């Protein structure tokens, strides 16, 4: 089995939870686009070129309102600012992947970050291609779901309120999988704690960025205890 096929085979199981969520959410997005007069082609182009998840749902309103480029830029930056922290966290993971790095950066999203960050590269599998296929498969699922939704949106209409909860459910599944697989659970607990504190202080609409900053600061301060390569001690397990 060649390098790429081996990496693809190893990557597919890690993307199954994302497949379930992205197909459903992508269909919801395509239906919403169709309801505003944008067909399957527009959904496909937005999902494959912009590929910005939650911002694509926000963009539906922007596309149907008065053109305001400055406000749109600021809103997009705020909504997707969390990707700055994703990129910093993946510097070590993506080191040495060569020509694949630009594609990995472009295809980064919340779910792909969660999977790539927590997934352990199987022995004998090329790291770069393993991360690439996880990223590409997730990217493809989102595009496929959007096209299906765009096509279905021409024939059916239904109340889409509450559909975005499936994204929350997807993150819960990824978190539980990480909780079961990883020996060191302190980072997961730090994430829950930081998010909870930020939610109480800043509220549900503004807590994400403060939570990311708090998580990054906590992991940096505790790095020597959490990373055995930094310090010779064994990992702390709970």
């Amino acid at each position: 089995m060649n390098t790429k096929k081996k990496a693809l085979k190893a990557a597919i199981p890690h993307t199954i939870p994302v497949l379930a969520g992205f197909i459903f959410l992508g269909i919801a997005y395509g239906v919403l686009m169709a309801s505003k007069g944008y067909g399957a082609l527009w959904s496909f182009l937005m999902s494959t070129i912009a590929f910005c998840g939650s911002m694509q749902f926000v963009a539906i309103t922007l596309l149907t309102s008065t053109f305001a480029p400055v406000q749109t830029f600021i809103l997009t930056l705020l909504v997707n600012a969390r990707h700055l922290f994703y990129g910093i966290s993946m510097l070590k993971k993506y080191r040495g992947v060569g020509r694949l790095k630009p594609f990995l950066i472009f295809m980064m999203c919340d779910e792909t970050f969660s999977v790539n960050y927590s997934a352990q590269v199987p022995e004998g599998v090329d790291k770069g291609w393993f991360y690439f296929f996880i990223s590409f498969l997730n990217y493809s699922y989102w595009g496929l779901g959007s096209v299906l939704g765009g096509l279905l949106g021409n024939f059916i209409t239904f109340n889409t309120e509450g559909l975005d909860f499936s994204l929350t459910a997807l993150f819960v599944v990824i978190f539980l999988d990480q909780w079961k697989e990883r020996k060191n659970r302190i980072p997961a607990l730090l994430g829950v704690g930081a998010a909870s504190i930020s939610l109480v202080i800043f509220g549900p609409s503004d807590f994400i960025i403060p939570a990311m900053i708090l998580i990054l600061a906590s992991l940096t301060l505790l790095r020597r205890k959490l990373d055995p390569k930094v310090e010779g001690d064994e990992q702390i397990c709970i």
Side-chain angles (χ1 to χ4, degrees), residues 46-125:
M46 283 288 289
S47 292
T48 55
I49 297 175
F51 188 56
C52 48
S54 56
M55 188 59 208
Q56 287 183 223
F57 284 90
V58 177
I60 296 175
T61 301
L62 298 176
L63 288 170
T64 56
S65 59
T66 304
F67 180 60
V70 176
Q71 291 87 335
T72 299
F73 172 78
I74 294 174
L75 178 60
T76 303
L77 182 63
L78 291 175
V79 171
N80 290 321
R82 64 191 184 280
H83 287 265
L84 293 171
F85 300 98
Y86 294 167
I88 293 172
S89 300
M90 295 302 291
L91 285 174
K92 186 176 180 180
K93 290 272 187 177
Y94 286 172
R95 186 177 301 159
V97 297
R99 67 183 187 280
L100 295 176
K101 182 175 286 188
F103 299 99
L104 293 173
I105 293 172
F106 171 73
M107 293 186 290
M108 176 79 75
C109 63
D110 299 333
E111 295 74 18
T112 296
F113 165 75
S114 298
V115 175
N116 278 347
Y117 188 82
S118 60
Q120 298 297 319
V121 181
E123 185 176 354
V125 174

Side-chain angles (χ1 to χ4, degrees), residues 115-164:
V115 175
N116 278 347
Y117 188 82
S118 60
Q120 298 297 319
V121 181
E123 185 176 354
V125 174
D126 182 82
K127 179 179 73 170
W129 285 110
F130 177 73
Y131 290 141
F132 172 82
F133 281 119
I134 288 178
S135 303
F136 180 75
L137 287 170
N138 291 344
Y139 172 76
S140 301
Y141 300 153
W142 180 250
L144 176 61
S146 299
V147 171
L148 290 175
L151 294 173
L152 292 174
N154 295 321
F155 304 101
I156 59 174
T157 57
F158 58 87
N159 187 356
T160 59
E161 184 178 357
L163 288 180
D164 54 350

